[in-house]
Amino acid sequence: MTIKLAVIMDPIESIKAHKDSTFAMLLEAQRRDWELYYITPNSLYVIDGNSYGQTSRLYVEDNESAWFRTEAAMNIMLASFDVILMRKDPPFDMEYIYTTYILELAKNSGSLVINDPAALRNCNEKFSIMNFPQCCVPTLVTCNQSKILEFIDEYEEIIVKPMDAMGGKSIFKILRQDKDKKNVVDKMTQQGNTTIMTQRFIPEITQGDKRILIINGEPVPYALARIPKEGELLGNLAAGGRGEGIALTERDYWICSEIKDSLVDNSIYFAGIDVIGSYLTEINITSPTCIRELDKQFNLNISAQLFDEIEASLT
């Protein structure tokens, strides 16, 4: 039986194919002779309890100048697909939430949705680490400005970041002696109306922010250390960091073992956790990246590992 796969993603014409993890997945699915279909989130809709998408048959090629081809769009019921990959990038806003509602209808009708729509809603990529305090540095989540200022005074150097962004967007370092720290806190929390995450600064960021990919609870044995430019704070590749592949440490494996049951229980087939030094900082499940970088550096096929798990779930 030919497997029908739909991918929900941002416009495919705007991706950087040579480093896009969703594209790596599509290449692997096509190698397996799966039928590929392409959907953008704004083309989804529901009629009388059934979810649909304006859908195009998709063909991909590992070619940086012409990496995809689509046929004419058709309106197709999502339940007709065996597998649906939800790979839209954040921001995680109400439109994203509505998309998970639509995908849940497809799941309830028999489609395998990856990652699970309920998990996408419930497992916030920043907040989820609070379930594993043993793996983390001191962390505060609040919109209360006074609490944040007290946290800064206690830990002297801290990081603040929004709860719904990606790629290092709007992440700032604040020092206890900074004269404008209150203004930064006011702006980040929108005068106490928006919840943010505050963490003790981890100086090992100079050695890289490690992205560890986890497939159905099991980590890929290599991480991509995203190393900041000299004098910079962020290692994210989107923020100009340099990616260097490294083997997982004993501590990395321990962190993965601590969160494994939660990932499996929530049907999170593909996650990308971030580790700085010895500490877990995020659990990314919306559209984790770094497949192509790790594949290239270590002659891997991470997408094949993921699709082996998907095929096993379909049997």
Side-chain angles (χ1 to χ4, degrees), residues 2 14 18-19 29 40 50 61 84 91 130 146 199 204 208 213 223 235 245 247 256 262 280 297:
T2 300
S14 64
H18 69 282
K19 62 183 225 176
T40 55
N50 293 310
E61 181 180 348
I84 301 172
M130 301 303 288
S146 297
Q199 295 175 305
E204 290 87 351
L213 299 179
C256 292
S262 176
L280 175 68
Q297 292 191 40

Side-chain angles (χ1 to χ4, degrees), residues 4-261:
K4 295 177 65 175
L5 167 71
V7 60
I8 298 170
M9 61 185 292
D10 294 307
I12 193 170
E13 64 270 16
S14 64
I15 68 171
K16 296 178 180 177
H18 69 282
K19 62 183 225 176
D20 191 271
S21 291
T22 304
F23 188 69
M25 295 178 189
L26 292 171
L27 288 170
E28 176 59 27
Q30 186 168 271
R31 276 192 288 266
R32 295 178 182 229
D33 293 324
W34 291 17
E35 288 185 10
L36 306 186
Y37 295 84
Y38 164 67
I39 307 172
T40 55
N42 61 3
S43 73
L44 297 171
Y45 61 98
V46 175
I47 297 178
D48 298 330
N50 293 310
S51 54
Y52 297 82
Q54 193 172 41
T55 307
S56 300
R57 184 76 162 85
L58 174 66
Y59 306 87
V60 292
E61 181 180 348
D62 202 0
N63 179 339
E64 289 187 35
S65 62
W67 58 89
F68 76 99
R69 176 172 61 86
T70 57
E71 294 181 352
M74 303 170 287
N75 294 305
I76 298 179
M77 186 181 294
L78 297 187
S80 67
F81 297 110
D82 301 295
V83 182
I84 301 172
L85 292 178
M86 173 54 172
R87 292 286 300 175
K88 183 192 180 302
D89 287 339
F92 192 89
D93 52 17
M94 283 307 302
E95 287 303 315
Y96 197 107
I97 295 287
Y98 297 147
T99 298
T100 68
Y101 293 155
I102 295 172
L103 290 176
E104 196 143 35
L105 290 175
K107 174 193 168 184
N108 293 341
S109 295
S111 296
L112 176 61
V113 183
I114 297 173
N115 284 313
D116 188 272
L120 292 173
R121 284 197 302 275
N122 297 335
C123 303
N124 178 272
E125 300 188 322
K126 306 293 191 297
F127 191 86
S128 290
I129 69 169
M130 301 303 288
N131 294 308
F132 311 99
Q134 71 275 21
C135 301
C136 307
V137 293
T139 301
L140 169 71
V141 176
T142 187
C143 62
N144 186 298
Q145 298 141 293
S146 297
K147 289 292 183 186
I148 297 170
L149 292 171
E150 290 172 7
F151 192 85
I152 297 170
D153 286 340
E154 180 175 0
Y155 291 104
E156 300 188 10
E157 293 181 278
I158 62 98
I159 293 294
V160 294
K161 51 186 168 181
M163 301 290 287
D164 60 353
M166 62 170 285
K169 184 178 180 181
S170 300
I171 295 179
F172 297 99
K173 180 181 178 183
I174 303 177
L175 307 179
R176 183 166 64 183
Q177 64 267 29
D178 286 347
K179 293 181 180 179
D180 65 342
K181 62 185 179 184
K182 187 177 185 305
N183 291 334
V184 175
V185 171
D186 286 347
K187 183 175 181 179
M188 288 290 294
T189 64
Q190 298 187 42
Q191 284 70 49
N193 293 300
T194 299
T195 296
I196 64 171
M197 174 170 280
T198 307
Q199 295 175 305
R200 177 174 65 78
F201 176 67
I202 306 172
E204 290 87 351
I205 183 61
T206 57
Q207 301 166 24
D209 179 357
K210 290 183 287 188
R211 167 58 55 85
I212 300 172
L213 299 179
I214 301 177
I215 298 170
N216 203 19
E218 297 298 331
V220 174
Y222 301 97
L224 192 72
R226 295 156 306 168
I227 301 170
K229 293 180 180 178
E230 187 174 353
E232 297 291 331
L233 171 66
L234 301 176
N236 306 71
L237 301 183
R242 171 175 59 87
E244 181 179 313
I246 56 174
L248 298 194
T249 66
E250 184 177 343
R251 171 75 178 188
D252 295 334
Y253 278 112
W254 175 79
I255 291 173
C256 292
S257 69
E258 291 293 292
I259 69 173
K260 175 179 178 177
D261 288 347

